[in-house]
Amino acid sequence: MPGSCDVVVIGGGQAGLAAGYYLRRAGLDYVILDAQSQPGGAWRHGWGSLRLFSPAPYSPLPGWGMPSQDGEEFPSAGHVVDYLRAYEQRYDLAVRRPVRVREVRPAGERLAVQTDSGSWSARYVISATGTWQCPYLPEVSGREEFGGRQLHTVDYSSPLEFRGQRVVIVGGGNSGAQILADVSRVAEVTWVTRRPPRFMPDDVDGRVLFDVATRKAAGAAGGVSDLGDIVMVPSVRDARERGVLHARAMFARLDAHGVWWADGTGQQCDAVIWCTGFRPELAHLAPLLPGWRQGVAPTDGTRSVDESRLYLLGYGDWTGSASATLVGAGRTAKATVADITARLAG
């Protein structure tokens, strides 16, 4: 039953579980509220060929490293789900699901967390809802006129549904490159990006990114983004070898039949896959963050500038270096719980 505790964590994915690990170790009274019916966070919804950028030993949550996956150097999304499920059980984390948080409001010296199954009262709230539920679609002229299929990264599952079709893939990040590598095996694909894709060197994978993020967290100059935007995982290297890893500039508009560029050239297509990223899922915090408008919310570390009893965990670099990764979530969770523990003691 809902009740009162020191800390309510909203979200039971990788960031929420990392917070739970440190909250449990600190001996604080906490609960993790997860809207999903099963463990695994956003990894439960990844496409079939999705892989981590890092080998398992470089993708740990605090306390227990990810076991290796047989036959796979870079673990699959399903393997990550299994790891998160086992992690939750291993540390007996206080997760309640499915519980959807509707909003968080001030309630005197505490915060009221309103859910679909009642209200919780907390001294502090850690929001760790991630971004997967808030896909971003850019405003492009004619998007509503297009007669073919349109889908976002969150909707993609397999290349087989595009066999023999003409597909335009939009987006110059890792998801765009990996889905291009997938779909180009069975379809005629055009890749478009707003700026030329920035590929990382072949010898840079999650191991190097892990080291760079570690140095960045320690205050060193430079970060992961300085190396490029796209990790050359095996499927993307294979796409390069097949000669399909080439991007055109972003088109200017769509019509009923396809896409058109500013120079007047056009191309018919059957589908457009928008690999155009996400926005943080913060609608439940609207009463606490009056200035938030589908972007980032100002923070001091992970503590909200607008509401000092609120912490934002795992949304991207603005909530800590590499905080949206497994290993980065652990680092920022540790600092967050240390701050909360000190404030409770003080």
Side-chain angles (χ1 to χ4, degrees):
M1 296 293 293
S4 177
C5 59
D6 291 329
V7 184
V8 167
V9 180
I10 306 172
Q14 60 195 33
L17 297 186
Y21 171 86
Y22 285 111
L23 289 164
R24 182 179 183 274
R25 197 170 76 164
L28 299 184
D29 183 21
Y30 76 97
V31 66
I32 300 171
L33 306 179
D34 188 22
Q36 300 201 66
S37 60
Q38 298 291 328
W43 291 100
R44 294 181 58 235
H45 309 291
W47 59 93
S49 63
L50 178 62
R51 294 293 185 273
L52 281 176
F53 303 144
S54 312
Y58 289 81
S59 305
L61 285 178
W64 181 47
M66 182 186 296
S68 296
Q69 182 178 7
D70 291 343
E72 298 282 355
E73 182 181 9
F74 298 91
S76 66
H79 184 73
V80 179
V81 171
D82 291 342
Y83 168 63
L84 295 180
R85 180 184 294 108
Y87 186 92
E88 188 176 309
Q89 295 171 351
R90 181 185 183 95
Y91 294 108
D92 192 25
L93 299 180
V95 183
R96 304 201 179 192
R97 62 167 63 90
V99 178
R100 181 168 295 279
V101 174
R102 291 172 174 161
E103 68 177 18
V104 184
R105 288 188 170 276
E109 296 183 353
R110 302 177 72 87
L111 295 173
V113 182
Q114 304 290 339
T115 81
D116 58 3
S117 58
S119 179
W120 285 85
S121 174
R123 297 183 67 178
Y124 298 98
V125 166
I126 298 174
S127 184
T129 49
T131 62
W132 188 260
Q133 300 300 322
C134 293
Y136 170 71
L137 290 174
E139 292 295 329
V140 179
S141 176
R143 198 178 71 203
E144 296 181 355
E145 300 174 18
F146 180 60
R149 184 183 177 194
Q150 296 187 65
L151 62 159
H152 190 272
T153 306
V154 298
D155 308 304
Y156 176 75
S157 60
S158 167
L160 299 181
E161 56 192 305
F162 302 99
R163 185 179 297 278
Q165 297 184 13
R166 296 161 300 182
V167 181
V168 173
I169 296 175
V170 184
N174 284 295
S175 61
Q178 288 192 35
I179 291 175
L180 164 75
D182 234 10
V183 177
S184 62
R185 291 184 171 278
V186 300
E188 178 185 331
V189 173
T190 300
W191 187 24
V192 299
T193 61
R194 290 200 177 277
R195 66 178 186 181
R198 299 194 309 147
F199 301 104
M200 295 187 183
D202 284 9
D203 59 350
V204 172
D205 61 21
R207 288 166 283 210
V208 176
L209 303 181
F210 175 93
D211 293 339
V212 172
T214 299
R215 293 195 297 270
K216 179 69 173 178
V224 170
S225 61
D226 294 337
L227 300 174
D229 297 320
I230 298 171
V231 181
M232 300 302 290
V233 295
S235 64
V236 177
R237 293 200 302 268
D238 176 75
R240 183 184 60 196
E241 295 302 314
R242 290 187 283 114
V244 299
L245 201 61
H246 302 291
R248 292 192 63 175
M250 181 62 187
F251 51 82
R253 63 184 177 90
L254 294 93
D255 67 8
H257 305 291
V259 299
W260 291 85
W261 280 268
D263 63 5
T265 60
Q267 180 173 315
Q268 293 187 354
C269 62
D270 302 294
V272 177
I273 304 177
W274 299 94
C275 302
T276 46
F278 302 83
R279 294 293 182 264
E281 186 183 3
L282 302 179
H284 58 291
L285 301 178
L288 303 181
L289 306 176
W292 172 72
R293 292 291 183 273
Q294 299 296 317
V296 301
T299 58
D300 179 8
T302 61
R303 189 195 298 184
S304 167
V305 170
D306 295 316
E307 170 53 75
S308 65
R309 296 168 293 183
L310 171 67
Y311 293 79
L312 297 153
L313 194 63
Y315 292 97
D317 285 348
W318 60 280
T319 55
S321 178
S323 71
T325 67
L326 283 154
V327 66
R331 292 196 189 100
T332 48
K334 182 178 182 179
T336 295
V337 174
D339 190 50
I340 291 173
T341 303
R343 294 176 72 186
L344 286 169

